[in-house]
Amino acid sequence: MRLRFGSHQIELHPWSELAAEVQAFRLAAWPQANLGKATELLGQVIAEVRASDQGLLRILFASGWCLTAPPDDERSAWGVSVRFHEFLHVRPGGEVRVSGPREIRT
């Protein structure tokens, strides 16, 4: 699943969790699960994006919705691109990597 805003992008795989108040939905592209709930994010304002040292990505929306993507032991679970260049991603097992300044072009 990809969230695009301008020239920036957050890519999530293989699954994530969308939550608001007491409701939570597991979203997955394969096998498909609750993808219709992802439409709740259309037109939403992203208030905050955080990555923990353990590899958990948390995206908080101004509306109160929260999208989380945990690390995966077998593959990269998420990546954040800034101005069309990958800036931050999690490696299998949860190691968070930041691209160096030479790799990001304005």
Side-chain angles (χ1 to χ4, degrees), residues 23-104:
Q23 296 179 325
F25 305 93
R26 184 177 171 132
L27 306 179
W30 185 257
Q32 289 186 3
N34 295 318
L35 289 179
K37 285 294 178 188
T39 60
E40 298 286 343
L41 303 176
L42 293 174
Q44 297 272 346
V45 174
I46 295 175
E48 179 178 285
V49 177
R50 285 193 178 209
S52 75
D53 290 340
Q54 295 77 31
L56 177 72
L57 182 70
R58 182 177 176 265
I59 306 161
L60 181 63
F61 296 85
S63 65
W65 283 98
C66 182
L67 186 63
T68 57
D72 187 278
D73 289 335
E74 298 177 15
R75 66 181 87 164
S76 177
W78 54 263
V80 177
S81 298
V82 176
R83 295 183 296 275
F84 302 112
H85 297 280
E86 187 171 70
F87 170 66
L88 188 68
H89 70 276
V90 67
R91 295 175 53 100
E95 179 188 1
V96 178
R97 301 291 304 253
V98 178
S99 299
R102 292 183 193 159
E103 298 174 46
I104 301 173

